[in-house]
Amino acid sequence: MSNFDLIVIGGGPGGYVAAIKGAQLGLNTAIIEKDRFGGTCLNRGCIPTKAMLHAADLYREILEGGRFGIHAEKVTVNYGEVLDYKQETIDKLVSGVEQLLKANGVTVLKGTGTLLADRQVKVTFAEPAEDGATESYYDAEHIILAGGSYPAKLPVEGMELEGVLTSDGLFALKEIPESLTIIGGGVIGVEFAEVFSALGCKVTILEALPKLLANLDKEISQNLKMILKKRGVDIHTGASLAKIEKDPAGGLICHYTEKDKDQSRSSQHVLCAVGRKPNAAGLFLDPEEFADIAENSAALTTKHLEAAAQTAHDLGITMERGFIETDVYGQTGAPGIYAIGDIVKGIQLAHVASAQGITAAEKIAGHTPNVDLAIVPSCIYTSPEIASVGITEEDAKASATPVKVGKYITSANGKSLISKEERGFVKIIAHADTGEILGAQMMCARATDMIGEMATAIANKLTPSQLLKGMRAHPTYNEAVGEALEELEGGAIHMAPKKKK
Ligand code: FAD
């Protein structure tokens, strides 16, 4: 008989959510985590960035308080205390996850899990067990792999230099850098640009693609570029990094090509924010044999990846460029073995990992998974916030889908005027014939909280008139969503009517 119904390897937002769901559905569940529960999201990702953004935005708002008649003098930043506040928030959430696992009866195994044949898992304990054992073997009817990811680095000369950091390294800095060059104008890049520019650091962004946040609505990228520039961030799009070298005067020099011209920028630190790599190989490689990667996934070489892919293949699991292939429920090619989160090809976000975890646990427990994994809201916590779900106008054009667009500029929204928000907008895209909502993009205060309504609408194929059945409270930012829906239905109330052609 198996030790467990379900073993989950990895305790990030994918793994711990899957373990709790599995236990709630009656599965005898264990979870293996080699580091801290909450994974990248709680310890090195979503939560620390948002805590730092909160502190940085608060500082900026206090400095700009004169707009509201509030004048503060001698406002200073104590970066050590900002880091303490960030860590306190993380610690509370991590301990909350530990308590939830315990309260749900999940067996916690602290150590590194390695998948073996016949749904067996070897656990190399982080600390010797009470009986002195350093490892143990368990088996389960079902296994969920949730190893997460680690920061990618560009294959460019100079990436190994001291002072070239990934997001992990940037969190570890004890002082605000004087200047920072960020390679990559994606979500992580722009969020850090907002944090450090608000805290007084001279920030430069080098983005190889023609716009920031390349996958988002064009208007959002343009507006964000303008807002960040106004806040002093030096932004270079279409700028391709050639190499990094030590600056004899101190710091680092990034050499890049922009509009066919060779350029360079000097800064104290360089942040490489060019995406994340799947941490799947470590699930198949014995930590004793591959001790060099146990502590540092970034040490993975082609040799490790090939060895892991071969072992995975022998177990019936297909890996492609480090990612594990699965069906829609997360099931791999090996019966009973699932994979979720950042190790699976697709969008690397915490709520995607959690939704995949719930889906896999429900499937394993014999339930019908409910969440629509194809509809993924994505949020950026700049000020103003940015959120998007479903298709954009550009997507509709590319796929020749007939759509109508309801757009509302938030400058006439009472709550936005009260808080003197930057000029923002809510855009909702509906099918021209059926009225079904297909997408929404927002750039305004609380956009990240409001996008959930649009995800629910798309997942349930709702129309603007169905969403307008419920009133929106006044004054709220949410009224802007109502206005964009009204615009789709014939005309927003607080907006001049479009001139008839
Ligand atoms: P992870 O969170 O990486 O967790 C994997 C866990 O598995 C880790 O704890 C690891 O220690 C453990 N593990 C790995 N191998 C083993 C093994 N062999 N044995 C035992 N344990 C193992 N996403 C959002 O949705 N919103 C955001 O605002 C956001 N902001 C981000 C900001 C930054 C700076 C970064 C870096 C990421 C951000 N993300 C955000 C992405 C998000 O953090 C990830 O998509 C999410 O954490 C993935 O969850 P996961 O469970 O797949 O993996």
Side-chain angles (χ1 to χ4, degrees):
M1 209 178 83
S2 300
N3 298 107
F4 295 101
D5 297 328
L6 170 64
I7 292 179
V8 180
I9 309 182
Y16 85 74
V17 168
I20 291 175
K21 192 67 178 176
Q24 285 173 344
L25 296 177
L27 303 173
N28 178 16
T29 303
I31 186 164
I32 307 165
E33 170 56 56
K34 64 178 179 176
D35 194 354
R36 302 220 323 155
F37 279 106
T40 305
C41 169
L42 261 50
N43 298 287
R44 301 171 293 280
C46 324
I47 297 300
T49 39
K50 272 73 228 178
M52 290 176 75
L53 275 162
H54 183 76
D57 286 340
L58 183 61
Y59 178 56
R60 191 172 43 78
E61 279 172 30
I62 294 171
L63 295 179
E64 293 173 359
R67 299 187 300 158
F68 306 96
I70 308 293
H71 300 273
E73 283 171 16
K74 294 185 187 153
V75 185
T76 56
V77 176
N78 182 324
Y79 194 59
E81 288 175 17
V82 172
L83 295 180
D84 290 347
Y85 142 75
K86 175 200 73 153
Q87 197 55 44
E88 249 170 54
T89 315
I90 293 172
D91 293 347
K92 270 192 193 146
L93 284 163
V94 171
S95 109
V97 170
E98 286 167 352
Q99 284 165 25
L100 282 172
L101 288 167
K102 197 171 164 203
N104 280 284
V106 176
T107 301
V108 169
L109 301 166
K110 291 291 284 182
T112 302
T114 312
L115 184 68
L116 307 173
D118 303 321
R119 292 194 294 271
Q120 199 181 44
V121 177
K122 174 182 170 183
V123 180
T124 309
F125 294 128
E127 284 175 14
E130 274 174 19
D131 61 3
T134 55
E135 59 181 48
S136 193
Y137 293 81
Y138 303 87
D139 55 16
E141 295 295 312
H142 304 276
I143 292 169
I144 297 180
L145 306 174
S149 60
Y150 61 94
K153 279 199 167 185
L154 284 176
V156 163
E157 190 186 326
M159 270 289 152
E160 70 300 333
L161 288 173
E162 200 184 324
V164 180
L165 310 168
T166 62
S167 52
D168 292 355
L170 194 59
F171 284 128
L173 289 184
K174 296 282 175 258
E175 282 170 14
I176 303 166
E178 269 167 38
S179 51
L180 176 69
T181 302
I182 300 178
I183 313 297
V187 179
I188 294 178
V190 300
E191 287 190 349
F192 277 123
E194 171 141 333
V195 169
F196 286 100
S197 62
L199 297 179
C201 166
K202 173 85 195 103
V203 178
T204 302
I205 297 180
L206 302 181
E207 166 57 58
L209 293 172
K211 57 178 194 163
L212 297 179
L213 304 174
N215 298 330
L216 288 190
D217 182 281
K218 209 162 98 194
E219 205 175 337
I220 290 181
S221 313
Q222 285 165 349
N223 284 4
L224 181 68
K225 190 172 180 181
M226 221 169 59
I227 290 168
L228 289 178
K229 273 189 161 180
K230 220 165 81 183
R231 294 193 188 139
V233 180
D234 186 18
I235 300 172
H236 299 265
T237 48
S240 179
L241 181 73
K243 68 171 175 180
I244 306 173
E245 58 183 19
K246 270 196 158 167
D247 186 343
L252 298 151
I253 306 175
C254 288
H255 295 273
Y256 61 97
T257 317
E258 188 179 4
K259 292 188 189 134
D260 292 332
K261 275 198 189 138
D262 292 339
Q263 309 273 9
S264 63
R265 271 288 170 290
S266 185
S267 56
Q268 187 184 359
H269 287 290
V270 173
L271 169 69
C272 183
V274 294
R276 296 183 59 84
K277 286 196 169 176
N279 194 12
L283 300 164
F284 303 104
L285 303 177
D286 194 319
E288 273 170 38
E289 211 178 319
F290 292 92
D292 49 341
I293 62 154
E295 291 302 318
N296 180 10
S297 306
L300 282 171
T301 62
T302 312
K303 179 189 86 178
H304 297 118
L305 289 173
E306 280 172 2
Q310 185 57 50
T311 314
H313 178 263
D314 294 345
L315 296 171
I317 297 171
T318 309
M319 279 173 75
E320 205 211 315
R321 294 196 301 129
F323 291 99
I324 296 178
E325 294 204 339
T326 71
D327 68 9
V328 285
Y329 302 112
Q331 165 94 55
T332 69
I337 303 197
Y338 290 69
I340 58 168
D342 281 8
I343 53 169
V344 174
K345 225 191 283 171
I347 304 175
Q348 291 179 313
L349 287 171
H351 46 279
V352 175
S354 298
Q356 290 173 340
I358 288 174
T359 299
E362 284 175 337
K363 186 77 182 157
I364 289 167
H367 291 245
T368 307
N370 185 39
V371 63
D372 187 339
L373 294 171
I375 299 160
V376 179
S378 62
C379 297
I380 298 127
Y381 296 76
T382 44
S383 178
E385 293 185 342
I386 296 166
S388 175
V389 65
I391 66 165
T392 62
E393 268 184 286
E394 291 132 64
D395 294 335
K397 212 176 273 172
S399 62
T401 308
V403 293
K404 47 186 181 174
V405 179
K407 183 177 165 189
Y408 182 73
I409 305 288
T410 55
S411 45
N413 170 262
K415 201 68 195 293
S416 303
L417 278 170
I418 292 168
S419 52
K420 292 188 186 279
E421 293 295 327
E422 296 275 353
R423 190 171 174 273
F425 66 87
V426 172
K427 206 190 259 185
I428 302 177
I429 292 149
H431 195 283
D433 304 328
T434 64
E436 207 179 288
I437 293 173
L438 301 177
Q441 290 81 44
M442 304 178 189
M443 185 168 194
C444 55
R446 307 283 162 83
T448 62
D449 293 312
M450 298 196 295
I451 201 71
E453 182 185 3
M454 292 297 115
T456 304
I458 299 171
N460 291 289
K461 303 188 185 312
L462 300 182
T463 62
S465 80
Q466 286 170 316
L467 283 179
L468 284 168
K469 275 198 169 177
M471 279 182 241
R472 287 173 172 76
H474 174 75
T476 56
Y477 296 110
N478 192 236
E479 284 174 295
V481 172
E483 296 276 10
L485 291 167
E486 290 285 8
E487 184 63 8
L488 281 167
E489 289 290 274
I493 307 299
H494 296 92
M495 191 162 78
K498 278 191 187 127
K499 287 205 180 99
K500 293 217 167 75
K501 284 180 189 159

